[in-house]
Amino acid sequence: MFDDRSPIYLQIADGIKNDVLSGALKEDEQVMSTNQYAAFYRINPATAAKGFAQLVDEGVLYKKRGIGMFVSPDARDKLRAARRERFFTEVVDPMLAEAKRVGIGVDEIVRHLGGAR
Amino acid sequence: MSAHHLLFRVYRPIIIVFTAILLTSDLVVTTLVVVGTGHIGFSMWIVLAGYAAKYWLLVVGIMLVVMQLRQFVANGGTRHEFLAGAAVFGLIVTAGFAAVVTIGHGVESMVLGAGDWRGDGYPTLPLDGMLGQFGQLFPESLAYLMSGAMIAAGFYRWRPLIGLVVMVGGAIPAAVADGLLGVDEFGHVAARLPYPVALALSLAATALVGLALRRAISDVPIKRTAG
Amino acid sequence: MIELRDVTVRFGSTVAVDDVRLDLPTGKIYGLLGRNGSGKTSLLSALASYRRPTAGTVRFDGVDAFENPAVMRHTCFIRDTLDVSDSERVRAVLRVAGWMRPGWDADYAARLADLFELDPSKRVSALSRGRRSALGVVLGLASRAPLTILDETYLGMDAVARADFYRELLADYLAHPRTIILSTHLIEEVADLLERVVILDRGRVLLHAEADELRGRGIKVTGPDTVVADFAAGHHVLAEQSLGGVRAVTLDWRPAPDDVARGEAAGLTFGPVGIQDLFVHLTSPSQRLEALR
């Protein structure tokens, strides 16, 4: 489930963000408690709590005291906006760099993408 | 649970089995001798139970240090709690054993007397002699228990060489008690000194070694030894 | 809070624990890592008052722990050798723990014994190494001691039993939070369960950090000799190897995504460094050699 590339709490946060983006987690839907999450994924609850705290800080989740944590109503839109911003720098630019290394021209890429339309 | 409660629970089955074996052996041997020769010239009970009370308590003293201390600390007790509990346990068990040996001897003496089976050398124990015998056995058993514990503590805590030196010191209570209060199978007491003096010396030796034991155990590392 | 203040444990002229100062907030799961002979067991023995430190003190919430009845009652130290009588039956060992331990859960102990297929009527001496360890797990978990120390309590257990052990440990910790210290060599297996990690090296604390922070703390960089050298400049090198013109270095550094992108553009590849790798690099003698150069 988790790898060694980065702290687990960041991977937890990313996983939940992906679920929100994909719609697997809906607006105002309750997410697992840190203890449930820890037991399910076999991780330390403090690590899970840290991941959730990060999401609360970023506004993806909100807390209802004594009940649990829920997906913020605007979380999906905010995440989409942020990801769209990063799309070109994080996805397209590396692809272009790789294309250049192996000698694929932009025209060829555009043609390929045209096929995907 | 306090240490003496734990020790009684741990030792209860052992004590019961041990006492049963003693009783059975005494009955069998005494009966055989009486049936075979018509009378018995010594007290099987004193031979068996009298010696067993001493040597078994010596072994108990050793086991307390080698086994139960570790068990007690590993379950969340302190060494001081253990020492206090072992003292209570030791006093009660030695007193109990001395009483059992005395009463058993008294009963044996009475039964053999009633059947006219007492031989020449048999150490008859009249009712008014019982307190005296208890007074010999109790401090002697106590001394053996203490010697066992101290000898074990020497080897448990220190290197074998130092353990040997401690062993000599640890044996003092048993040696003093044996020399001054010892009773043989014919019921003869060594009685080199008047009883009060002998008792005082024996108890003093036991108490001194008890203090040394307390020092040795109060911060002893809990060893990994299996056992 | 558990505080070790300048704790030293010496055996004759051998220094097993060397002036250790450590603050351990309670209620967390700690991993104590260290190579053989690094002083783990000696440190734990001092922590559990099995041994009075040669110098220094162990304090619980400000009071000296040694021979303190309240502290010792709440401490459960399970050594790899197990402090039980070999001649006793498993049932008797558990019964004694039940008498002595204020938090003992007999039902839970029975369930655990069942899980590990530990026959209560067997004598301890007849148990295999793995079952012996399982008995240690049962004693350690069912005691529910506020400070539970498990010193390599997995020896001889197969992968399935170990997985059961880790799952039960976490589940019971979630239900009954307490301070648990796991001393282990199988770092990778327990890394996810740990909140904090203490690495001991030759009697000293080499590192005390949040376990999760160690993940991704280092990075492995591979590429052409000179490019790698450029990239690694100014960063602590934990390990390196080269073959032909290719060099691979392990750095104690967490580069920003921009740095990684820049490196990749220059032809470098990056690989993760797990907690286990980090531990090996930090405590291996070649690393010390490296530091001396």
Side-chain angles (χ1 to χ4, degrees):
Chain A
M1 168 66 196
F2 302 109
D3 61 41
D4 282 333
R5 281 167 205 280
S6 59
I8 289 179
Y9 84 93
L10 289 177
Q11 299 182 48
I12 292 171
D14 283 346
I16 290 176
K17 283 180 192 168
N18 281 335
D19 285 348
V20 171
L21 272 172
S22 72
L25 275 172
K26 303 265 185 306
E27 292 174 1
D28 293 313
E29 190 177 329
Q30 184 166 12
V31 297
M32 275 195 258
S33 73
T34 50
N35 270 15
Q36 284 169 333
Y37 199 91
F40 189 81
Y41 290 107
R42 308 268 162 83
I43 58 167
N44 191 287
T47 311
K50 200 173 167 188
F52 285 6
Q54 163 115 357
L55 291 170
V56 171
D57 280 352
E58 292 179 12
V60 177
L61 301 181
Y62 66 93
K63 272 190 212 168
K64 272 193 203 166
R65 190 167 295 186
I67 303 174
M69 271 177 274
F70 297 81
V71 178
S72 303
D74 57 346
R76 189 158 181 231
D77 294 340
K78 270 166 60 179
L79 286 171
R80 273 174 72 111
R83 288 274 179 108
R84 287 169 71 102
E85 243 173 66
R86 276 156 44 199
F87 178 75
F88 287 97
T89 54
E90 286 185 11
V91 180
V92 179
D93 292 351
M95 181 192 76
L96 288 175
E98 173 68 10
K100 198 171 163 191
R101 269 199 290 279
V102 298
I104 298 175
V106 175
D107 291 345
E108 203 177 333
I109 297 171
V110 170
R111 220 176 306 129
H112 179 79
L113 293 178
R117 198 175 284 154
Chain B
M1 173 178 292
S2 60
H4 65 273
H5 281 126
L6 175 79
L7 291 172
F8 276 115
R9 287 211 190 177
V10 167
Y11 277 95
R12 190 169 51 200
I14 307 173
I15 292 173
I16 291 170
V17 170
F18 189 65
T19 312
I21 291 174
L22 281 181
L23 269 174
T24 318
S25 325
D26 178 49
L27 281 173
V28 170
V29 173
T30 306
T31 311
L32 282 177
V33 173
V34 167
V35 168
T37 66
H39 54 80
I40 185 163
F42 63 97
S43 168
M44 190 61 205
W45 182 250
I46 288 291
V47 171
L48 276 177
Y51 279 89
K54 288 198 299 196
Y55 294 114
W56 186 69
L57 286 164
L58 183 86
V59 172
V60 169
I62 293 170
M63 295 214 300
L64 283 174
V65 171
V66 176
M67 289 170 73
Q68 272 85 46
L69 170 68
R70 188 167 64 117
Q71 185 183 31
F72 186 73
V73 174
N75 279 293
T78 67
R79 297 157 184 79
H80 286 89
E81 286 172 327
F82 180 78
L83 283 167
V88 172
F89 170 78
L91 279 170
I92 294 176
V93 165
T94 39
F97 248 88
V100 166
V101 172
T102 307
I103 293 166
H105 185 197
V107 171
E108 185 191 63
S109 184
M110 222 159 63
V111 172
L112 290 176
D116 201 19
W117 294 313
R118 281 186 241 170
D120 284 344
Y122 184 84
T124 305
L125 184 66
L127 218 52
D128 59 1
M130 283 171 94
L131 193 62
Q133 185 162 52
F134 177 82
Q136 311 269 342
L137 281 169
F138 178 44
E140 197 189 4
S141 306
L142 203 58
Y144 269 78
L145 179 81
M146 188 61 80
S147 283
M150 190 67 222
I151 291 166
F155 288 104
Y156 188 77
R157 170 157 198 158
W158 291 287
R159 288 179 283 137
L161 202 66
I162 300 176
L164 279 174
V165 175
V166 173
M167 186 169 100
V168 174
I172 290 174
V176 168
D178 244 358
L180 300 179
L181 297 164
V183 183
D184 66 19
E185 69 266 37
F186 302 108
H188 299 139
V189 179
R192 292 187 185 90
L193 293 169
Y195 176 73
V197 180
L199 177 69
L201 284 175
S202 174
L203 287 180
T206 304
L208 270 177
V209 170
L211 286 176
L213 180 71
R214 193 172 174 277
R215 282 291 294 271
I217 295 292
S218 66
D219 62 350
V220 69
I222 305 303
K223 277 204 189 168
R224 279 169 168 275
T225 47
Chain C
M1 178 77 98
I2 303 164
E3 300 156 284
L4 287 92
R5 285 287 167 273
D6 315 320
V7 170
T8 297
V9 177
R10 223 177 280 131
F11 300 96
S13 59
T14 314
V15 182
V17 177
D18 191 5
D19 208 23
V20 164
R21 206 184 160 84
L22 204 54
D23 284 342
L24 306 174
T26 51
K28 299 179 189 297
I29 304 181
Y30 292 88
L32 179 63
L33 316 180
R35 304 187 60 204
N36 289 335
S38 60
K40 297 193 297 288
T41 300
S42 299
L43 183 74
L44 294 177
S45 298
L47 193 55
S49 296
Y50 271 36
R51 173 179 291 281
R52 170 179 257 166
T54 316
T57 52
V58 176
R59 284 192 297 231
F60 278 67
D61 297 328
V63 294
D64 196 335
F66 192 77
E67 283 294 280
N68 182 324
V71 172
M72 286 187 76
R73 190 162 304 125
H74 291 146
T75 303
C76 179
F77 179 25
I78 305 293
R79 293 196 273 199
D80 54 357
T81 43
L82 280 197
D83 293 293
V84 300
S85 302
D86 270 0
S87 56
E88 279 193 275
R89 294 182 197 284
V90 169
R91 183 182 295 119
V93 170
L94 298 180
R95 199 186 307 134
V96 170
W99 292 338
M100 296 278 300
R101 289 287 174 193
W104 184 257
D105 185 333
D107 293 337
Y108 182 52
R111 277 207 310 282
L112 284 177
D114 209 38
L115 174 70
F116 293 113
E117 295 168 329
L118 200 55
D119 182 355
S121 62
K122 263 204 176 166
R123 290 190 192 280
V124 174
S125 55
L127 296 177
S128 67
R129 182 63 256 203
R131 294 279 192 283
R132 218 180 148 84
S133 292
L135 177 57
V137 171
V138 177
L139 288 169
L141 292 184
S143 288
R144 300 257 164 80
L147 171 60
T148 301
I149 304 172
L150 302 170
D151 188 7
E152 293 189 45
T153 317
Y154 55 74
L155 295 173
M157 284 169 99
D158 61 27
V160 176
R162 290 203 303 275
D164 285 339
F165 163 37
Y166 302 140
R167 192 190 59 237
E168 285 301 327
L169 175 92
L170 181 63
D172 202 55
Y173 168 76
L174 290 171
H176 305 273
R178 54 201 193 263
T179 308
I180 298 178
I181 302 179
L182 296 174
S183 143
T184 184
H185 282 124
L186 307 178
I187 305 162
E188 212 71 346
E189 289 188 357
V190 294
D192 292 358
L193 301 184
L194 306 176
E195 180 165 348
R196 300 191 71 83
V197 167
V198 176
I199 297 180
L200 213 56
D201 188 40
R202 291 177 297 171
R204 289 172 169 272
V205 175
L206 188 74
L207 179 148
H208 177 203
E210 222 175 272
D212 207 24
E213 271 173 21
L214 299 182
R215 219 171 262 105
R217 168 173 156 169
I219 194 156
K220 193 169 180 179
V221 188
T222 313
D225 217 337
T226 49
V227 185
V228 170
D230 261 4
F231 191 82
H235 301 292
H236 184 52
V237 177
L238 291 171
E240 82 178 297
Q241 69 194 116
S242 46
L243 181 70
V246 179
R247 193 201 288 221
V249 295
T250 303
L251 302 176
D252 186 1
W253 178 40
R254 179 176 297 159
D258 287 354
D259 293 316
V260 174
R262 192 164 48 81
E264 278 172 341
L268 299 177
T269 51
F270 293 88
V273 178
I275 294 181
Q276 171 105 34
D277 292 338
L278 195 69
F279 167 76
V280 168
H281 293 317
L282 288 173
T283 58
S284 77
S286 63
Q287 158 62 16
R288 286 181 208 129
L289 219 66
E290 206 75 49
L292 288 175
R293 253 179 226 154

